[in-house]
Amino acid sequence: MPPKLDTHIQSLPATIPFVAPERISRETGKAFVARIGANEGRFGCSPLAIEAMQKAAIDNVGVYGDPEAYAVRETIGSALGVSIDEITIGSGIDGLLGHIVRIFSAPGDDILTSLGAYPTFNYHVAAYGRQLHTVPYRNDYEDLDGLVEVAKNLRPAILYLANPDNPMGSWWPAEKIDQFIDAISEDTLIILDEAYGETAPEGTLPALNCDKPNVLRMRTFSKAYGLAGLRCGYAIGHRDLIAQFEKIRDHFGVNIMALVAADAAFKDQAWLQKAVALNQAATARISQIALTHGFIPLPTATNFVAIDCGQGADFAKQILVSLADHGIFIRKPMTPILDRCIRVSAGNSSELDAFEAAMNMIMKDLK
Ligand SMILES: *Cc1c(COP(=O)(O)O)cnc(C)c1O
């Protein structure tokens, strides 16, 4: 007899929310020359973060990190004007999302998100046996009014919203988000995923308000900070929400390299500002390339551009596959209507040179 399996886990398919370019390369036997599909920061990271990791590799990697991540929480908290008790650290937003589903809902509970929004959240919802409900995007925006409307009757345990959004890159101004939060009943936990907060225009992120009893704001070192491989993110919210994580989190799950690098990177806001400027130039260039081919680049507050290729999903898929044949890794939305687009991350200049050249080649054949 094999070991006993949880019956719910047994019923689930084994899936990976995002198939990696490494896997595609293993299957095709070809390396990618441009890795512009996963929205990773492609402009390096703060040299102070590298220095901190080098030092830790010699001095500290043999010991357990501080399970309270005190130093980095203190750094972030004092810069943002929130108390250390209002911040928790995790292995990326992805890791924290799993904790949140586990903490703030029970098996069978209703959970609300947008149709085609960030899939790793849905993966955790399925894993914990919660019931996922979705509201379609409206004109490539997450539909705030639609979410409020559905939430009124559904009374979901958790509501997930990314602002700015992935995969479309759209965003709502802070006033709209504040109104949205106020319109949701306080017995629903709102996850406000701000993975792209650093690249969003001023006026996008609502002021931090940790008095609100039902909102968790999610931030990460994976995008603008250029440290996706580090696996470090954090949540900010009411201290009673944050305290719950202490009951279940893996206290040594954020490793010592992540603790020192996150702290150093956060302190280096001058580097971040340079990266944000490079990001802006890169997304502008991607948009320009799209226009050259008669496509519509959607406005973006993120480190990627969703490009409306003007025809259906099959055409967008063809472009994605042809780009892969030319060594360019991109991704695309999978949900109908959104799936007419491809999604191209803000690569460094050699990656965007390769993207531009590949587009010129493949569009000759596809037209
Ligand atoms: C990239 C992304 C994440 C992942 O963040 P990690 O901290 O790397 O886990 C979370 N949410 C959204 C919306 C993202 O696009």
Side-chain angles (χ1 to χ4, degrees), residues 6 11 23 59 70 92 99 179 227-228 237 313 336:
D6 174 279
S11 75
R23 158 120 161 234
D59 296 346
Y70 197 90
H99 291 333
Q179 285 164 14
L227 289 163

Side-chain angles (χ1 to χ4, degrees), residues 18 38-39 90-97 118 120 160 162-166 193-196 218-223 227-228 231-234 304 343:
F18 291 103
N39 303 344
S91 52
I93 292 176
D94 286 0
L96 289 164
L97 289 175
Y118 194 58
T120 308
Y160 172 91
N163 190 58
D165 168 68
N166 178 14
D193 186 336
E194 298 176 326
Y196 302 99
M218 315 302 296
R219 310 258 173 105
T220 182
F221 290 93
S222 298
K223 305 289 156 67
L227 289 163
R231 307 311 303 127
C232 191
Y234 53 103
F304 61 85
R343 194 194 69 183

Side-chain angles (χ1 to χ4, degrees), residues 94-105:
D94 286 0
L96 289 164
L97 289 175
H99 291 333
I100 293 171
V101 173
R102 185 174 171 203
I103 295 169
F104 297 100
S105 62

